[in-house]
Amino acid sequence: MADARGISRRHMGLGAVALGGGLAFASLPADPAAAAAPTRGDGRPALRHGSAREAGLLPGPLKQLVADAEAFLQPSPRHSWYAGAVLLAGRGRTVALHKPIGMAVRYQAYDEETDTGVEFPPDRQIPMAEDTVFDLASVSKLFTSILAVQQIERGRIELEAPVASYLPDFGRAGKQDVTIRHLLTHTSGFRAWIPLYTAPTYEEKVQRVYDEALAGPPGTAYLYSDLNLISLQLVLEHVTGRRLDVLLREEITEPLGMRRTRYNPPASWKPKIAATEDARRPWSGLDRGLVWGEVHDENAYSLGGVAGHAGVFSDAWDLAVLARTLLDGGVCGRKRILRPESVELMFTDFNTAFPGDEHGLGFELYQHWYMGAMATPRTAGHTGFTGTALVLDPTTDSFLVVLGNSVHPVRSWRSGSAPRVAAANQLARAVPVRPARGRTAWFSGMASAATATLALPALDTSSGVARLSCALWWDTEPKADVLVLESSADGGTTWEPVPFTTRRPGGTAEAHPTGTATGWSGRVWHDLTAELPAAPGLVVRWRYTTDRLYVGRGAYVDGLRVEKGRRRLFDEARPADAARLRAEGWSRETG
């Protein structure tokens, strides 16, 4: 299901709400690590459980990640965001956090009149487990995209080829210029969604896709649409002669040992699957009652459970295996599913014409609305309407899986993407930033809707040229969150920006004429210099301001020094000078 009808997925993150008996224990592998622990060529595990230290992560933020996630089991603000979730976070080949919380199956129905959930009796409720299987919803699009890139790699599909060159009937209604790339980057011009489930036969559903006219010319706008990946499914099935579920099994899940990932899970899996929605009109397109063990998305359900845009079921460990495979350039153990240059296409922005809607082939990029502080220009991922998310950050070699049943018992209880953002913020915070010059550095914090200041004592810069130097590290939500270097000559009544220059290791100097830094800086330390105004009692400070929505990893300052000629007016390395710094919201951090 498209996460919203007619609006962007980024707007969905701001809070839009959209449409979209006895138990036999499942015959699934008992331990996720044992079930799917592919090995590298040297025979050692490619992915394993381990400690935060072994993963190169800080344990405190990982603990806070769980605490934040558990808070969303409570009303937030009126209803819980999900009945339960499975959280997985790792770095390198180590999974440092794998935690189930809440319930996989709690409600048997939704009472519309009272806006309450009708719970199963306690003995029929099922708690979350590490290996609980989830309906991934739109995270399924990533699997379809990987299958498409495989066929591009093998020469059966060309990225810039018209879709109609493979499916002539697709070219109807003005779609003759839509290319495979347009489908993979949601720039085809398709509207977000149409109710294919109202067509009585599979053939008629396909014809509706072929007959669908575009909302705009291809390549002129970004519009997230399920129809893109449904169309891609039709292309894949045509060029390979295999159904999409067979392709998934033969080309991805079997090679990678992903034993809990498939379309249409068998009935024996049901006790290990998280329930989704009490699907009834008007909030659902179909009257199905409690959806549990079958795909939630109405169109995917009507297509027999196998669809390019939705329908894949999986668990957290299997998704971690997929994440690790992509971060390792398409290889896992002795199995390669993609060449490194093909994987690179998924981490490369093809939508540079549409800022804010960055997109690789199939993967969304740089989306703070669910990636939080993990977001970088190369951070890739996707969310699913049922409450799922996968985020991969090649910059820090880290990965995050958040699987929640957030439409259980009904989709209207869930709004926005706050639990995903909170989890991503804490994993980003868990990746340490080592001080540039000493044992500690000043850290701005990552609070939203906040202002943090770090001020030097008043200095006499009235004679001669005084220069400030330091090491600076920043990563903020672009434009929304800003780091400012400013000065006051009247005791703090008025402040003026101080232009500065930064230089990253091996790079060229970059001027900041407005005295500000925002956005992505490479997550490396930069050397900073600034010429200060002349004043007998000049106060210089850093001011970091964030908006109420999302944040980046924050800012760090280290080794502050002010010199006038050969004279040092201030040197943070001197304990007496360091003690005179005034910090509000900033703290010392060892990294």
Side-chain angles (χ1 to χ4, degrees), residues 19-339:
L19 292 177
L23 300 178
F25 283 95
S27 55
L28 292 177
D31 176 67
T39 58
R40 297 181 292 177
D42 56 12
R44 290 184 291 166
L47 193 65
R48 64 183 181 87
H49 285 111
S51 67
R53 181 183 296 274
E54 289 169 328
L57 297 170
L58 302 173
L62 292 185
K63 292 179 181 178
Q64 189 60 47
L65 189 159
V66 175
D68 289 348
E70 289 176 335
F72 289 101
L73 295 170
Q74 307 304 317
S76 55
R78 183 177 178 187
H79 299 292
S80 59
W81 200 85
Y82 39 41
V86 179
L87 315 165
L88 186 148
R91 190 180 186 200
R93 292 182 170 84
T94 301
V95 172
L97 173 66
H98 192 178
K99 176 74 173 178
I101 61 172
M103 304 301 294
V105 180
R106 179 176 177 181
Y107 304 100
Q108 57 184 314
Y110 168 67
D111 187 328
E112 183 179 7
E113 290 187 3
T114 62
D115 190 27
T116 59
V118 180
E119 295 190 359
F120 279 107
D123 62 345
R124 296 184 62 192
Q125 296 184 27
I126 302 175
M128 286 291 181
E130 287 186 352
D131 59 350
T132 296
V133 172
F134 288 77
D135 176 348
L136 298 183
S138 286
V139 175
S140 305
K141 292 179 171 70
L142 299 182
F143 291 93
T144 308
S145 300
I146 292 169
L147 291 169
V149 173
Q150 286 178 333
Q151 298 307 316
I152 293 171
E153 183 179 283
R154 296 168 190 176
R156 291 178 177 168
I157 296 176
E158 294 183 10
L159 185 61
E160 298 299 338
V163 178
S165 66
Y166 305 102
L167 304 171
D169 286 346
F170 180 89
R172 295 204 292 262
K175 298 194 297 299
Q176 66 276 359
D177 295 328
V178 173
T179 67
I180 298 296
R181 175 174 58 83
H182 291 143
L183 298 182
L184 283 164
T185 58
H186 293 282
T187 55
S188 66
F190 268 132
R191 56 175 161 161
W193 175 93
I194 59 176
L196 296 177
Y197 55 82
T198 61
T201 67
Y202 179 87
E203 291 73 20
E204 288 175 277
K205 299 178 203 301
V206 173
Q207 289 306 313
R208 286 195 180 181
V209 176
Y210 290 162
D211 292 339
E212 176 72 10
L214 300 177
T220 60
Y222 173 89
L223 178 59
Y224 179 82
S225 174
D226 289 348
L227 300 178
N228 289 316
L229 277 295
I230 294 173
S231 300
L232 194 59
Q233 170 190 2
L234 298 174
V235 173
L236 288 169
E237 293 180 339
H238 174 74
V239 301
T240 66
R242 290 176 284 174
R243 275 175 38 123
L244 190 65
D245 54 344
V246 176
L247 284 170
L248 175 70
R249 183 179 70 248
E250 295 180 350
E251 302 291 351
I252 299 178
T253 63
E254 282 188 353
L256 299 183
M258 297 170 62
R259 295 171 59 189
R260 292 182 180 81
T261 304
R262 60 169 293 164
Y263 288 100
N264 289 328
S268 62
W269 283 29
K270 186 173 180 179
K272 300 294 291 185
I273 297 175
T276 54
E277 187 175 36
D278 180 7
R280 290 182 281 121
R281 293 184 175 94
W283 57 87
S284 174
L286 297 171
D287 287 317
R288 298 169 60 192
L290 178 63
V291 178
W292 177 15
E294 294 181 318
V295 62
H296 173 260
D297 179 88
E298 296 96 330
N299 280 340
Y301 175 74
S302 76
L303 290 166
V306 179
H309 70 294
V312 176
F313 286 71
S314 188
D315 74 350
W317 186 267
D318 270 13
L319 290 179
V321 170
L322 180 68
R324 188 67 261 155
T325 299
L326 296 175
L327 288 169
D328 283 340
V331 66
C332 186
R334 298 179 179 88
K335 300 293 185 178
R336 177 173 290 281
I337 64 168
L338 285 170
R339 294 198 297 256

Side-chain angles (χ1 to χ4, degrees), residues 425 445-451 477 481 544-551:
N425 283 350
M446 292 170 54
S448 60
T451 297
E477 184 189 4
D481 302 338
Y544 181 53
T545 304
T546 60
D547 69 0
R548 66 180 183 85
L549 291 177
Y550 316 115
V551 295

